[in-house]
Amino acid sequence: MKVDIRELGQFNHLASEGAKQAAKSLSTLAGIEMDVDVTDVSLVTESVLAETFADRSFVGVELGLQGGLEGETVLALERERALVLQELLLDATDTDYSSKGSTIAKSSVTELGNIMIGGFIDGWANHLDTAINMTPPRYTEANGPRILPDQAIEAAKNHGVFLFESKLSGMDVDLDFSLYMLPEYRQFVQLLSGNDQGNQIPVNRLSTFEELAKEGAGNAAGQIGMMTGLDTNVDVSRLRFVPLSGVPKQVGNDQFVGVVFELTGLPSGYLVVLFDEKSAITIANAMMPGDSTEDEIGSMTEGAIKELGNIMTSGFIDGWANVLQTSIEHSPPNFVHDMGESIMSPVVGKLGQQQDYAFVIDSTIEIDGNEGQCDIYALPNERELARALSALPAQD
């Protein structure tokens, strides 16, 4: 079975528009302005779910979907954020929380989830021209991926599960959370099939490329450790399908040091390796001979990051070329030191001349415990990636 990339982009757009409607509902009910950061979709396995939701405690509202679109939807907040939301909702309705107890707070969050998810789903029903029924909302509390429905976790163990995630954040209040939609696998693959004229990828190849991404991140982490002597660990590595326009915003406005590479071959594209400033200096000092050190970003740090980035990138893409049975080359490293959005915007602008969406490999490597971090963003040309994956021999 194949996935038409245009259909995947259409459903991503529906999820993004649905998240905007959900944000409006919250703004009306709680009197706060919300912004939709980004909406992405991934075909995730059990291990990716474990990495994505690890070490966090959640409060959520879960609703099942039936009819024209089957599956589950979840409004999930980390526990501290849930307390903020509860207070905002109670203040908006002049409810005395101390006298009513937690039952009122839970019911207010549950009803909010019901309203927000209803707005989130409406556009899907219109697009599919069919009725989508929702089960009654259920308030949940859980740690890690258990905040998601059992059916979704079980599906992730088998063939994987499509995970739509829309991140919402308050514009004038410290509040952020996610809306998740997990459609039933087989029905959704049918909806994504499009027609034979489309730009299609065999659905099982998405998990193949996901594994390549994880392997590439592991190789990159090993290179950092070998060249610096620092402990490294791949915290999370995930293949996401996102609107290109949302990538710079997702990287954010923190200051980063790193290198940008252009990839040529099949697939072409870009690979960006970014370190926070402290990590860049730590790594550069660990690579320098003798007692040579820098306390700020200078020529020695630039040289060290370019050398390390060059080796990391070669290891990252070698696995792609071997499995895809293609040749992939990369340009010399282009050193960057700027805000994340400013670094990513030119990359997205170049790739955006050919496509509106991208499969983005987003890998985070922990350095020296939690003392530092490296983020790797790989953005292959979607059409060339589809062609390379489709050309692989059939799997049993």
Side-chain angles (χ1 to χ4, degrees):
M1 303 181 76
K2 295 184 177 182
V3 170
D4 189 320
I5 292 178
R6 294 175 304 178
E7 293 294 328
L8 194 58
Q10 179 62 53
F11 283 112
N12 184 288
H13 177 72
L14 288 173
S16 179
E17 291 300 306
K20 292 176 183 177
Q21 289 300 319
K24 288 181 181 178
S25 297
L26 177 55
S27 297
T28 300
L29 292 170
I32 56 174
E33 291 298 318
M34 299 295 296
D35 182 42
V36 180
D37 290 340
V38 69
T39 295
D40 63 58
V41 57
S42 309
L43 178 61
V44 297
T45 60
E46 182 184 22
S47 62
V48 173
L49 285 182
E51 292 172 351
T52 303
F53 291 88
D55 303 322
R56 291 190 286 168
S57 180
F58 293 95
V59 168
V61 180
E62 175 185 324
L63 287 89
L65 305 177
Q66 299 172 344
L69 181 68
E70 299 182 3
E72 306 286 341
T73 51
V74 180
L75 168 68
L77 307 91
E78 292 192 48
R79 199 171 293 274
E80 296 79 8
R81 299 290 187 264
L83 294 175
V84 172
L85 180 58
Q86 288 174 351
E87 291 180 2
L88 288 169
L89 291 172
L90 295 171
D91 288 346
T93 55
D94 295 324
T95 303
D96 183 359
Y97 179 79
S98 61
S99 65
K100 299 294 183 181
S102 62
T103 301
I104 295 295
K106 290 180 180 179
S107 66
S108 63
V109 171
T110 303
E111 181 56 26
L112 173 66
N114 190 31
I115 295 171
M116 291 182 66
I117 292 172
F120 180 79
I121 293 298
D122 281 348
W124 293 70
N126 293 336
H127 175 74
L128 296 172
D129 193 25
T130 186
I132 300 176
N133 300 316
M134 298 190 303
T135 63
R138 186 171 72 90
Y139 179 89
T140 61
E141 297 183 11
N143 296 324
R146 303 308 308 182
I147 193 63
L148 300 178
D150 292 340
Q151 305 95 305
I153 295 174
E154 192 61 32
K157 294 179 183 178
N158 299 324
H159 39 61
V161 62
F162 285 95
L163 178 70
F164 285 83
E165 179 180 9
S166 297
K167 297 180 180 179
L168 288 76
S169 59
M171 300 180 68
D172 51 8
V173 65
D174 186 17
L175 177 66
D176 57 79
F177 57 90
S178 292
L179 269 170
Y180 297 99
M181 204 273 283
L182 304 99
E184 194 277 327
Y185 178 85
R186 296 189 184 282
Q187 183 196 44
F188 192 60
V189 169
Q190 289 287 350
L191 292 174
L192 290 175
S193 60
N195 59 66
D196 292 338
Q197 303 303 314
N199 191 23
Q200 297 183 324
I201 298 177
V203 66
N204 57 2
R205 299 289 190 251
L206 292 177
S207 56
T208 298
F209 203 65
E210 179 95 57
E211 290 304 315
L212 280 177
K214 294 174 73 70
E215 181 180 340
N219 290 339
Q223 293 290 350
I224 295 175
M226 183 176 68
M227 296 188 70
T228 65
L230 300 171
D231 292 331
T232 60
N233 176 60
V234 179
D235 182 39
V236 64
S237 184
R238 185 171 161 193
L239 175 67
R240 299 176 297 112
F241 186 75
V242 299
L244 268 175
S245 60
V247 173
K249 185 177 181 181
Q250 188 175 27
V251 177
N253 279 324
D254 291 340
Q255 288 285 326
F256 290 97
V257 176
V259 281
V260 177
F261 297 89
E262 183 174 2
L263 308 180
T264 55
L266 189 65
S268 63
Y270 294 88
L271 192 140
V272 183
V273 180
L274 298 179
F275 301 88
D276 62 86
E277 291 181 316
K278 180 180 177 182
S279 296
I281 293 171
T282 298
I283 285 173
N285 288 339
M287 291 175 62
M288 291 176 190
D291 297 327
S292 300
T293 60
E294 282 187 336
D295 295 327
E296 56 186 27
I297 307 299
S299 59
M300 288 189 293
T301 298
E302 177 178 342
I305 294 301
K306 289 169 72 173
E307 178 185 358
L308 179 59
N310 212 31
I311 295 172
M312 289 171 62
T313 298
S314 295
F316 200 93
I317 64 175
D318 280 351
W320 297 12
N322 290 337
V323 172
L324 297 175
Q325 301 174 21
T326 64
S327 175
I328 306 174
E329 303 292 336
H330 65 79
S331 66
N334 176 29
F335 181 78
V336 289
H337 180 199
D338 207 335
M339 293 186 301
E341 280 199 48
S342 299
I343 293 171
M344 296 302 294
S345 289
V347 174
V348 165
K350 294 174 184 176
L351 201 58
Q353 296 174 15
Q354 308 170 60
Q355 60 195 66
D356 295 322
Y357 290 84
F359 287 99
V360 178
I361 297 171
D362 183 358
S363 302
T364 298
I365 299 171
E366 289 183 352
I367 302 170
D368 203 20
N370 287 318
E371 293 302 311
Q373 182 171 304
C374 170
D375 293 301
I376 303 174
Y377 299 92
L379 297 90
N381 178 292
E382 69 169 31
R383 292 183 179 275
E384 295 175 357
L385 176 63
R387 191 162 77 246
L389 289 173
S390 296
L392 291 177
Q395 296 178 334
D396 296 331

